[in-house]
Amino acid sequence: MWQNLRWEINAKFKEKIHRHVSSFQVIILGFMLVILLGSLCLTLPLATRDGQGASFLDALFTSTSAVCVTGLVLHDTASYWSMFGQAVILFLIQIGGMGVVTVSVAVAIFSGRKISLMQRSTMRESISAPQVGGIVRMTEFILKTVFLVELLGAVAMAPVFVRDFGFLKGVWYAMFHSISAFCNAGFDLLGGRFGAFSSLAGYNDNPLMLGTTAALIVVGGLGFFVWEDIVDKRCWSRLSVYSKMVLLITAVLIVGGALFFLMEEFDNPATLGDMPLWQKGLNALFQSVTLRTAGFDSIG
């Protein structure tokens, strides 16, 4: 009797909350909670190399930048943050890139819990899905695609990083930069080798590094629905109008930006001027890709 009464009270309480909290508010509160928890983690002494921990304001800014995948930093990520701090930042980037609601729904799926209508509605709002139906399947597709592409990116980068930093550190760097690039975050760990805030300038003559990073940025920036449409249709003529527009506009912006950058900076010794022709083209293309959304840089 008492157990049934408790369940009834809980059900009424949840129903009352759902009536007064919209999906949009749940998404905002979720982001705020993740940012706050990330900030608190980054203030811990073990989060920084000097063992002092970051100030709350610095931690809050870094956590916000990571979750919102902006790439803005107050401190060089490699030289200021410890391994723990870097891991926290990477975790925040992954959550921000996938979406807080997507991650929460994924946890519910893996734990075997039933996805409520409220959760499905919130998920639909967070990824701008046209309908509630198929949200669970969409979440599973997003997870599989994200981790597969990030894994492929890390495998492609690993030979270069392992060569330059050793096996364990090289694998960590490959994972970090693959996730950061795919989520369009712009965070990097190369300041310790090439100078603070150097980003990918130390690899501006490496087609594998710049090409892989650019590919991850583009694929990550296309969006969930375009991925699903490409996988399902596998034919240009069968793609939706939305997917065709996204792909065409992306291609035009990348090519147009690369040509403009190449023409404007071709003889500038501070940028492309001293590079051979192939390297000028590679860096012009990379800058066109990264400047749209990612925040990486290949020209110091």
mmCIF file of all heavy atoms in Angstrom, residues 55 57-62 65 71-77 80-81 187 197:
data_model
loop_
_atom_site.group_PDB
_atom_site.id
_atom_site.type_symbol
_atom_site.label_atom_id
_atom_site.label_comp_id
_atom_site.label_asym_id
_atom_site.label_seq_id
_atom_site.Cartn_x
_atom_site.Cartn_y
_atom_site.Cartn_z
ATOM 1 N N SER A 55 41.709 29.266 -11.135
ATOM 2 C CA SER A 55 40.704 30.095 -10.468
ATOM 3 C C SER A 55 39.332 29.715 -11.021
ATOM 4 O O SER A 55 39.221 29.200 -12.132
ATOM 5 C CB SER A 55 40.978 31.573 -10.725
ATOM 6 O OG SER A 55 40.768 31.896 -12.095
ATOM 7 N N LEU A 57 36.948 31.531 -12.144
ATOM 8 C CA LEU A 57 36.606 32.271 -13.354
ATOM 9 C C LEU A 57 37.296 31.676 -14.578
ATOM 10 O O LEU A 57 36.682 31.493 -15.637
ATOM 11 C CB LEU A 57 36.982 33.744 -13.201
ATOM 12 C CG LEU A 57 36.526 34.677 -14.338
ATOM 13 C CD1 LEU A 57 35.012 34.633 -14.483
ATOM 14 C CD2 LEU A 57 37.001 36.097 -14.085
ATOM 15 N N ASP A 58 38.590 31.347 -14.442
ATOM 16 C CA ASP A 58 39.317 30.716 -15.542
ATOM 17 C C ASP A 58 38.736 29.346 -15.871
ATOM 18 O O ASP A 58 38.600 28.968 -17.042
ATOM 19 C CB ASP A 58 40.797 30.568 -15.193
ATOM 20 C CG ASP A 58 41.545 31.893 -15.250
ATOM 21 O OD1 ASP A 58 40.890 32.924 -15.498
ATOM 22 O OD2 ASP A 58 42.776 31.905 -15.034
ATOM 23 N N ALA A 59 38.406 28.592 -14.826
ATOM 24 C CA ALA A 59 37.825 27.259 -15.025
ATOM 25 C C ALA A 59 36.455 27.358 -15.683
ATOM 26 O O ALA A 59 36.125 26.562 -16.572
ATOM 27 C CB ALA A 59 37.710 26.540 -13.682
ATOM 28 N N LEU A 60 35.670 28.338 -15.253
ATOM 29 C CA LEU A 60 34.338 28.527 -15.834
ATOM 30 C C LEU A 60 34.436 28.886 -17.312
ATOM 31 O O LEU A 60 33.691 28.354 -18.143
ATOM 32 C CB LEU A 60 33.591 29.624 -15.073
ATOM 33 C CG LEU A 60 32.189 29.976 -15.585
ATOM 34 C CD1 LEU A 60 31.262 28.769 -15.445
ATOM 35 C CD2 LEU A 60 31.624 31.166 -14.813
ATOM 36 N N PHE A 61 35.360 29.767 -17.657
ATOM 37 C CA PHE A 61 35.536 30.157 -19.055
ATOM 38 C C PHE A 61 35.969 28.957 -19.893
ATOM 39 O O PHE A 61 35.435 28.720 -20.976
ATOM 40 C CB PHE A 61 36.578 31.274 -19.167
ATOM 41 C CG PHE A 61 36.768 31.779 -20.565
ATOM 42 C CD1 PHE A 61 36.043 32.866 -21.028
ATOM 43 C CD2 PHE A 61 37.670 31.170 -21.438
ATOM 44 C CE1 PHE A 61 36.200 33.337 -22.330
ATOM 45 C CE2 PHE A 61 37.831 31.627 -22.732
ATOM 46 C CZ PHE A 61 37.104 32.713 -23.176
ATOM 47 N N THR A 62 36.944 28.201 -19.399
ATOM 48 C CA THR A 62 37.447 27.046 -20.141
ATOM 49 C C THR A 62 36.372 25.983 -20.305
ATOM 50 O O THR A 62 36.215 25.398 -21.381
ATOM 51 C CB THR A 62 38.670 26.443 -19.422
ATOM 52 O OG1 THR A 62 39.673 27.456 -19.268
ATOM 53 C CG2 THR A 62 39.241 25.279 -20.212
ATOM 54 N N SER A 65 33.840 27.193 -22.848
ATOM 55 C CA SER A 65 34.416 27.120 -24.187
ATOM 56 C C SER A 65 34.442 25.684 -24.701
ATOM 57 O O SER A 65 34.182 25.423 -25.873
ATOM 58 C CB SER A 65 35.837 27.698 -24.177
ATOM 59 O OG SER A 65 36.422 27.645 -25.462
ATOM 60 N N GLY A 71 36.654 26.816 -28.857
ATOM 61 C CA GLY A 71 38.103 26.832 -29.065
ATOM 62 C C GLY A 71 38.812 27.995 -28.412
ATOM 63 O O GLY A 71 40.032 28.126 -28.527
ATOM 64 N N LEU A 72 38.094 28.855 -27.711
ATOM 65 C CA LEU A 72 38.721 29.994 -27.025
ATOM 66 C C LEU A 72 39.361 29.520 -25.716
ATOM 67 O O LEU A 72 38.740 28.783 -24.950
ATOM 68 C CB LEU A 72 37.681 31.072 -26.730
ATOM 69 C CG LEU A 72 36.986 31.678 -27.960
ATOM 70 C CD1 LEU A 72 35.862 32.605 -27.522
ATOM 71 C CD2 LEU A 72 37.984 32.428 -28.823
ATOM 72 N N VAL A 73 40.598 29.933 -25.464
ATOM 73 C CA VAL A 73 41.296 29.493 -24.261
ATOM 74 C C VAL A 73 42.011 30.669 -23.596
ATOM 75 O O VAL A 73 42.416 31.619 -24.273
ATOM 76 C CB VAL A 73 42.337 28.395 -24.580
ATOM 77 C CG1 VAL A 73 41.658 27.129 -25.072
ATOM 78 C CG2 VAL A 73 43.369 28.872 -25.583
ATOM 79 N N LEU A 74 42.147 30.588 -22.286
ATOM 80 C CA LEU A 74 42.905 31.575 -21.525
ATOM 81 C C LEU A 74 44.334 31.097 -21.289
ATOM 82 O O LEU A 74 45.240 31.905 -21.120
ATOM 83 C CB LEU A 74 42.228 31.822 -20.173
ATOM 84 C CG LEU A 74 40.826 32.435 -20.212
ATOM 85 C CD1 LEU A 74 40.228 32.431 -18.817
ATOM 86 C CD2 LEU A 74 40.873 33.848 -20.766
ATOM 87 N N HIS A 75 44.516 29.785 -21.238
ATOM 88 C CA HIS A 75 45.825 29.182 -20.988
ATOM 89 C C HIS A 75 46.096 28.139 -22.066
ATOM 90 O O HIS A 75 45.167 27.484 -22.558
ATOM 91 C CB HIS A 75 45.866 28.520 -19.604
ATOM 92 C CG HIS A 75 45.493 29.427 -18.481
ATOM 93 N ND1 HIS A 75 46.357 30.373 -17.980
ATOM 94 C CD2 HIS A 75 44.340 29.533 -17.759
ATOM 95 C CE1 HIS A 75 45.760 31.025 -16.993
ATOM 96 N NE2 HIS A 75 44.539 30.531 -16.837
ATOM 97 N N ASP A 76 47.373 27.988 -22.413
ATOM 98 C CA ASP A 76 47.732 26.943 -23.357
ATOM 99 C C ASP A 76 47.371 25.585 -22.756
ATOM 100 O O ASP A 76 47.785 25.262 -21.637
ATOM 101 C CB ASP A 76 49.231 27.005 -23.659
ATOM 102 C CG ASP A 76 49.655 25.941 -24.648
ATOM 103 O OD1 ASP A 76 49.312 26.063 -25.838
ATOM 104 O OD2 ASP A 76 50.311 24.972 -24.214
ATOM 105 N N THR A 77 46.602 24.803 -23.493
ATOM 106 C CA THR A 77 46.047 23.563 -22.957
ATOM 107 C C THR A 77 47.126 22.565 -22.550
ATOM 108 O O THR A 77 47.016 21.900 -21.518
ATOM 109 C CB THR A 77 45.106 22.914 -23.992
ATOM 110 O OG1 THR A 77 44.142 23.881 -24.432
ATOM 111 C CG2 THR A 77 44.370 21.728 -23.391
ATOM 112 N N TYR A 80 49.533 24.226 -19.442
ATOM 113 C CA TYR A 80 48.879 24.678 -18.207
ATOM 114 C C TYR A 80 48.095 23.564 -17.512
ATOM 115 O O TYR A 80 48.200 23.391 -16.299
ATOM 116 C CB TYR A 80 47.935 25.848 -18.513
ATOM 117 C CG TYR A 80 47.272 26.422 -17.283
ATOM 118 C CD1 TYR A 80 47.972 27.273 -16.425
ATOM 119 C CD2 TYR A 80 45.948 26.110 -16.967
ATOM 120 C CE1 TYR A 80 47.362 27.805 -15.285
ATOM 121 C CE2 TYR A 80 45.334 26.631 -15.835
ATOM 122 C CZ TYR A 80 46.043 27.477 -15.001
ATOM 123 O OH TYR A 80 45.449 27.990 -13.875
ATOM 124 N N TRP A 81 47.332 22.799 -18.282
ATOM 125 C CA TRP A 81 46.476 21.771 -17.694
ATOM 126 C C TRP A 81 47.221 20.442 -17.581
ATOM 127 O O TRP A 81 47.972 20.068 -18.465
ATOM 128 C CB TRP A 81 45.203 21.585 -18.515
ATOM 129 C CG TRP A 81 44.383 22.829 -18.641
ATOM 130 C CD1 TRP A 81 44.284 23.636 -19.724
ATOM 131 C CD2 TRP A 81 43.550 23.420 -17.633
ATOM 132 N NE1 TRP A 81 43.449 24.688 -19.468
ATOM 133 C CE2 TRP A 81 42.984 24.582 -18.188
ATOM 134 C CE3 TRP A 81 43.237 23.069 -16.321
ATOM 135 C CZ2 TRP A 81 42.125 25.398 -17.464
ATOM 136 C CZ3 TRP A 81 42.367 23.886 -15.602
ATOM 137 C CH2 TRP A 81 41.826 25.031 -16.183
ATOM 138 N N PHE A 187 40.533 22.910 -29.594
ATOM 139 C CA PHE A 187 41.524 22.728 -28.534
ATOM 140 C C PHE A 187 42.648 21.820 -29.046
ATOM 141 O O PHE A 187 42.386 20.866 -29.776
ATOM 142 C CB PHE A 187 40.894 22.086 -27.302
ATOM 143 C CG PHE A 187 40.072 23.029 -26.473
ATOM 144 C CD1 PHE A 187 38.804 23.419 -26.885
ATOM 145 C CD2 PHE A 187 40.563 23.530 -25.280
ATOM 146 C CE1 PHE A 187 38.037 24.283 -26.117
ATOM 147 C CE2 PHE A 187 39.799 24.388 -24.490
ATOM 148 C CZ PHE A 187 38.536 24.775 -24.919
ATOM 149 N N PHE A 197 50.080 28.199 -27.627
ATOM 150 C CA PHE A 197 49.040 28.650 -28.562
ATOM 151 C C PHE A 197 49.450 28.476 -30.030
ATOM 152 O O PHE A 197 48.986 29.211 -30.899
ATOM 153 C CB PHE A 197 48.671 30.119 -28.309
ATOM 154 C CG PHE A 197 48.330 30.416 -26.874
ATOM 155 C CD1 PHE A 197 49.207 31.123 -26.062
ATOM 156 C CD2 PHE A 197 47.134 29.983 -26.322
ATOM 157 C CE1 PHE A 197 48.915 31.391 -24.734
ATOM 158 C CE2 PHE A 197 46.829 30.251 -24.993
ATOM 159 C CZ PHE A 197 47.707 30.952 -24.192
#
